[in-house]
Amino acid sequence: MGKKSKKSKKKKSTEDPNFKTIARNRKARHQYEILDEMECGIVLQGSEVKSARSGKVSLDEAYGRVQGNEVYLVGCDIAEYPQANLMNHEPKRTRKLLLHRREISKFAETASQNGLTLVPTAMYFKKGVAKVKLATARGRKLHDKRDKLKKDTAQMEIRRAMTHRR
């Protein structure tokens, strides 16, 4: 009798082990019309990194600001890390974003246009380094938000009907 070979059935993970999402700004897609997105690094202190790894980050009221030749993230709330004691950080401090000069000049040019802002849409760890996805966006008026909601619900109903039909 021959031996039966056991095939290992490993599930292939669709998630990248080097990528971990910390926080998303879900309101941004509703309140703003996203025009362009760019990934940039962020300068964090040690206790901020520990707090971010545990998921204690809020991007709800955050925005980007161009000052001189640098871009800063303002209003991002990273909760204090309880084990840091005296070496803790200020939760809502202004944090520097790391971009190349070309990217900064491009963002500065678009952000200076009337009605455009820099909005963080996500914060994540990529290969152990903290990154922020920053978007140039135009604010939506109330009637635009209503139109978008109607269009989204109509699309959802169409998808539902198509799946039930199959």
Side-chain angles (χ1 to χ4, degrees):
M1 286 192 187
K3 289 185 178 179
K4 290 184 179 178
S5 62
K6 291 184 179 180
K7 293 183 180 178
S8 62
K9 292 184 179 181
K10 287 187 178 179
K11 288 186 178 180
K12 290 190 177 181
S13 176
T14 57
E15 293 182 17
D16 186 8
N18 296 324
F19 186 87
K20 179 187 175 194
T21 302
I22 303 167
R24 290 192 187 277
N25 190 353
R26 298 185 326 152
K27 290 182 181 179
R29 301 231 180 252
H30 177 69
Q31 293 176 345
Y32 298 97
E33 177 187 346
I34 305 296
L35 303 175
D36 187 26
E37 285 187 329
M38 187 173 293
E39 179 182 81
C40 54
I42 184 168
V43 178
L44 296 176
Q45 295 177 352
S47 59
E48 289 174 328
V49 174
K50 289 283 206 175
S51 187
R53 286 199 186 277
S54 62
K56 305 276 195 288
V57 179
S58 173
L59 295 173
D60 290 339
E61 299 171 5
Y63 61 95
R65 177 182 289 157
V66 179
Q67 291 178 341
N69 291 331
E70 295 177 340
V71 181
Y72 293 95
L73 185 64
V74 181
C76 175
D77 187 18
I78 299 178
E80 289 185 351
Y81 189 62
Q83 287 83 5
N85 294 335
L86 297 173
M87 304 301 284
N88 230 327
H89 63 277
E90 186 180 328
K92 284 207 174 197
R93 74 177 184 90
T94 303
R95 295 166 180 90
K96 184 177 178 181
L97 297 176
L98 305 171
L99 292 162
H100 293 286
R101 284 191 188 122
R102 294 184 308 271
E103 295 169 339
I104 292 172
S105 63
K106 178 184 170 189
F107 263 132
E109 183 180 303
T110 55
S112 65
Q113 290 180 5
N114 192 18
L116 295 183
T117 56
L118 297 175
V119 179
T121 56
M123 184 183 279
Y124 49 90
F125 281 106
K126 186 175 181 181
K127 297 182 182 176
V129 180
K131 302 278 186 178
V132 174
K133 188 163 275 191
L134 197 64
T136 53
R138 178 176 290 119
R140 284 198 173 120
K141 305 281 189 245
L142 183 61
H143 58 86
D144 292 337
K145 292 178 189 177
R146 287 181 186 151
D147 291 342
K148 184 181 181 299
L149 271 173
K150 286 178 188 175
K151 191 175 9 172
D152 288 347
T153 54
Q155 286 291 329
M156 192 166 47
E157 288 174 6
I158 289 170
R159 269 191 248 119
R160 244 188 236 140
M162 292 299 284
T163 55
H164 287 297
R165 190 168 182 224
R166 289 180 189 163

